[in-house]
Amino acid sequence: VIWLVSIFFVGTSLKKYRNRTILFMFFISPMIPVMIVDFYQHTFAKGIYAVDYDHNVSFCEFELIDDSILNGECHLVMENFSKDEVQFTVEFYDRYDKEMFELMNEYGPYTVTLQGNSEKTVWIETKMDVSNLEEVIAHGSASGFNIIIKSGEKSRYLGG
């Protein structure tokens, strides 16, 4: 509501280029919060707040090795924008593939270290005992999932 009121007042205060300014504000103002967060993360953020996770290119693959062992292999693309090394743990979170990621979390958390100002593909592999499960997939993959990173008392939900 405040956003619409501010656009109205800007529009009524202008005599020249009124329509262009209002149109410009409609397209640009929703992007401003994202730009501010991005700017903060690239310049001032420290610790886990300087870590970015690219969920679009990260993926996990699952393959049944024998009747009771499931191999889970995940590749997570992460970037640290701070100059300092950052260490944190990773947990998986996804609304749609809950069972597989909950099983991965039982064998975690997984510790990750990112050097300062670096991008890294983090490789996590786990062999999971699935002998007590009724149904197990023989082979599958997942992408576009979310993760939770934690360092001490701080935590962040990253993903789409």
Side-chain angles (χ1 to χ4, degrees):
V1 171
I2 294 172
W3 178 64
L4 291 174
V5 170
S6 66
I7 289 176
F8 171 76
F9 283 126
V10 167
T12 57
S13 68
L14 294 174
K15 300 214 183 285
K16 192 174 185 182
Y17 305 119
R18 177 182 303 176
N19 293 336
R20 289 181 195 172
T21 304
I22 291 173
L23 189 62
F24 179 75
M25 287 180 68
F26 265 108
F27 286 113
I28 296 300
S29 57
M31 291 184 269
I32 290 174
V34 174
M35 291 169 31
I36 290 172
V37 168
D38 195 47
F39 174 75
Y40 172 76
Q41 187 177 35
H42 283 76
T43 54
F44 301 115
K46 295 193 183 309
I48 63 171
Y49 299 107
V51 174
D52 189 30
Y53 162 65
D54 191 350
H55 73 282
N56 293 319
V57 296
S58 300
F59 65 93
C60 287
E61 292 181 339
F62 303 97
E63 187 171 353
L64 196 60
I65 296 173
D66 60 33
D67 291 340
S68 63
I69 303 295
L70 180 69
N71 187 50
E73 193 174 297
C74 295
H75 300 263
L76 311 175
V77 178
M78 306 180 110
E79 188 169 0
N80 178 10
F81 294 110
S82 75
K83 62 181 176 162
D84 302 322
E85 178 181 277
V86 178
Q87 187 172 20
F88 52 89
T89 59
V90 174
E91 294 178 17
F92 296 93
Y93 170 76
D94 194 69
R95 287 181 273 196
Y96 306 109
D97 293 320
K98 280 185 180 178
E99 292 177 30
M100 297 314 305
F101 290 121
E102 285 176 0
L103 192 59
M104 286 285 291
N105 287 337
E106 284 181 26
Y107 290 86
Y110 306 97
T111 303
V112 174
T113 302
L114 292 176
Q115 300 300 320
N117 293 318
S118 68
E119 183 175 347
K120 179 180 180 182
T121 299
V122 177
W123 184 64
I124 297 173
E125 183 177 17
T126 303
K127 297 198 182 325
M128 301 167 277
D129 180 16
V130 291
S131 58
N132 59 346
L133 298 178
E134 292 179 19
E135 292 183 33
V136 180
I137 61 166
H139 184 77
S141 64
S143 61
F145 52 88
N146 303 320
I147 62 171
I148 302 168
I149 62 173
K150 296 180 180 180
S151 178
E153 296 294 317
K154 300 173 186 174
S155 66
R156 286 185 63 203
Y157 293 84
L158 301 174

